[in-house]
Amino acid sequence: LQEVRTKENYFEWIMYMLDAVEETSNNTCDLIESIEKMMNNTQKLIQSNLPKIYSKNLVETLFLHPYTKIEFLVDRLNITRKTASKYLKELVSIGILKEIKKVIQNPSTSITIDKEICNLNRSFGARISGEIAKYYGDEGLSEDSIKINLKGVAGQSLGAFLVNGVSIYLKGAANDYVGKGMNGGKIVITANSYKENFSLAGNTCLYGATGGKLFVAGEVGERFAVRNSGALAIVEGTGDHACEYMTGGIVVILGETGINFGAGMTGGLAFIYDESHTFTEKINQELIEARRVDIDEFDEARHYLKKLLKTYVNETGSKKAKKILENFRMELSKFWIVRPKELTKVPLNLEKGE
């Protein structure tokens, strides 16, 4: 440590320490405390050789360091880009974990965090959810206990395995596997400037989700909500194979869907807004049927759909959904309700698992 003379060497030492301590720690919050304890014990040795910006606590130092970039890590630490991206991903999660630690320990409180994100940050939210699950299991925290506002383009698997109590609001776009395996919580994705038919998330979003909510004010890619068994989702268009092997949950699509819709779908429910009158040509009719929602049989479903659209507008400000709500009686004729042929009751009560 006495050989530390430059900010570059200092940062290399921090990254080495971060990696070493993580390998011996079973608890992320303990990891943060361990690193900061080591930092405090060596502060006097290095403080005189560094600018004031590097005299703060470890996590702040990592975020403020001007060389927290993948090119610097590859060059200075002589590591691969894959390893460097792993470091950067961990820095974001560890920094947020430090901020939310008090909320995890005292679930009656809440917190709002603002961060920037890039596509190097994969599986954002998974580590946070894991830490919450250690204390509270599947129950998680109360709604919106932890609200994270993000800006940028998220890497793959944004909100993977998300639990109750965590709400992620992304201003920008996301890659594949948004909400993969999510069990609770909420993910809201909106664009910096709204334009219809914009794609804001990639393929296979909500893969294997068992709960939670996903609102995207734009289109998503192929295989949307594959194996979804309990999540609620509203998007403005999908690619091919949407709702494939879906067994539960509710999906609202305010736009085109692509071919082979609902292949292997044995549960759940979908509302499709079909302006072009082409949806019936795209469904896989082996297990599902599509019915118009503006008939007496689906009176309850219509009220529920309107309620969902109001929630969606409140969360995303979607211009398309606003237009539909303003002319709801007229626009109802363009909606299909899709359900498995053997389903005798429309499943509208998610809380009771129906």
Side-chain angles (χ1 to χ4, degrees):
L1 292 175
Q2 292 178 347
E3 295 178 0
V4 175
R5 289 291 181 270
T6 66
K7 54 191 176 185
E8 288 87 351
N9 288 338
Y10 175 64
F11 188 59
E12 291 180 27
W13 170 72
I14 290 176
M15 298 306 296
Y16 170 79
M17 189 169 62
L18 177 66
D19 196 39
V21 177
E22 183 175 12
E23 291 181 0
T24 60
S25 176
N26 295 321
N27 183 290
T28 305
C29 288
D30 289 345
L31 165 63
I32 296 170
E33 289 180 355
S34 298
I35 296 175
E36 292 193 336
K37 184 177 180 181
M38 294 170 67
M39 181 74 173
N40 292 332
N41 289 339
T42 58
Q43 195 78 7
K44 292 181 180 180
L45 287 174
I46 60 178
Q47 193 169 18
S48 60
N49 296 317
L50 297 165
K52 288 184 179 179
I53 190 174
Y54 305 111
S55 301
K56 304 186 178 212
N57 69 60
L58 175 70
V59 174
E60 288 181 35
T61 299
L62 291 172
F63 277 112
L64 291 171
H65 200 289
Y67 295 108
T68 310
K69 294 194 170 44
I70 192 167
E71 291 78 11
F72 171 78
L73 296 178
V74 170
D75 179 53
R76 294 290 183 173
L77 304 185
N78 193 27
I79 56 178
T80 64
R81 291 184 67 86
K82 183 177 180 180
T83 303
S85 66
K86 172 182 176 291
Y87 276 139
L88 295 182
K89 180 183 74 172
E90 296 303 313
L91 294 184
V92 175
S93 296
I94 289 175
I96 291 178
L97 275 172
K98 177 177 172 58
E99 295 184 56
I100 69 172
K101 183 179 177 182
K102 292 181 180 179
V103 178
I104 295 176
Q105 294 175 340
N106 185 6
S108 62
T109 60
S110 61
I111 188 172
T112 299
I113 299 171
D114 298 310
K115 296 289 181 186
E116 292 189 359
I117 195 169
C118 69
N119 59 7
L120 294 175
N121 304 127
R122 301 182 182 93
S123 303
F124 180 88
R127 168 169 275 189
I128 297 166
S129 296
E131 197 67 21
I132 294 171
K134 286 180 183 179
Y135 294 90
Y136 306 106
D138 291 342
E139 185 177 345
L141 299 171
S142 57
E143 187 175 359
D144 291 332
S145 292
I146 299 170
K147 183 178 178 181
I148 305 173
N149 298 317
L150 301 173
K151 287 185 178 181
V153 178
Q156 291 185 343
S157 303
L158 172 70
F161 312 111
L162 204 67
V163 298
N164 288 322
V166 183
S167 298
I168 298 175
Y169 288 80
L170 172 62
K171 198 79 170 179
N175 277 276
D176 299 340
Y177 293 104
V178 172
K180 177 178 68 177
M182 71 184 294
N183 179 57
K186 181 167 53 182
I187 303 172
V188 180
I189 303 176
T190 56
N192 291 316
S193 58
Y194 179 85
K195 286 190 178 180
E196 200 166 326
N197 301 323
F198 263 28
S199 292
L200 296 186
N203 299 319
T204 330
C205 299
L206 280 188
Y207 176 80
T210 59
K213 300 174 183 177
L214 172 64
F215 300 134
V216 182
E219 297 184 0
V220 297
E222 297 183 355
R223 289 196 153 82
F224 179 71
V226 171
R227 300 191 184 280
N228 174 32
S229 63
L232 165 66
I234 304 179
V235 299
E236 297 187 3
T238 72
D240 298 338
H241 315 294
C243 299
E244 192 176 28
Y245 305 120
M246 184 165 145
T247 60
I250 293 177
V251 170
V252 181
I253 302 173
L254 304 178
E256 299 293 324
T257 63
I259 62 171
N260 200 35
F261 182 93
M265 178 179 171
T266 58
L269 193 70
F271 294 95
I272 311 298
Y273 182 64
D274 182 23
E275 271 189 299
S276 60
H277 306 290
T278 58
F279 175 67
T280 54
E281 302 169 4
K282 300 174 181 177
I283 68 172
N284 185 313
Q285 301 184 33
E286 182 179 1
L287 298 175
I288 60 175
E289 62 178 8
R291 305 276 300 277
R292 285 297 185 185
V293 77
D294 59 343
I295 59 176
D296 293 340
E297 179 184 351
F298 299 121
D299 184 57
E300 183 184 0
R302 289 197 299 276
H303 291 295
Y304 185 69
L305 173 60
K306 190 173 185 179
K307 179 183 176 182
L308 290 180
L309 291 177
K310 286 181 177 179
T311 301
Y312 177 67
V313 169
N314 289 337
E315 293 286 0
T316 66
S318 168
K319 293 182 180 180
K320 190 170 189 177
K322 281 182 182 178
K323 182 180 177 182
I324 293 172
L325 284 172
E326 289 170 358
N327 304 280
F328 192 66
R329 289 187 178 181
M330 296 294 294
E331 298 296 328
L332 265 177
S333 62
K334 300 175 184 177
F335 274 97
W336 295 95
I337 184 171
V338 182
R339 60 181 182 177
K341 293 177 180 177
E342 297 183 357
L343 194 67
T344 57
K345 183 180 183 297
V346 176
L348 299 178
N349 195 334
L350 288 176
E351 287 75 15
K352 294 184 179 179
E354 296 180 355

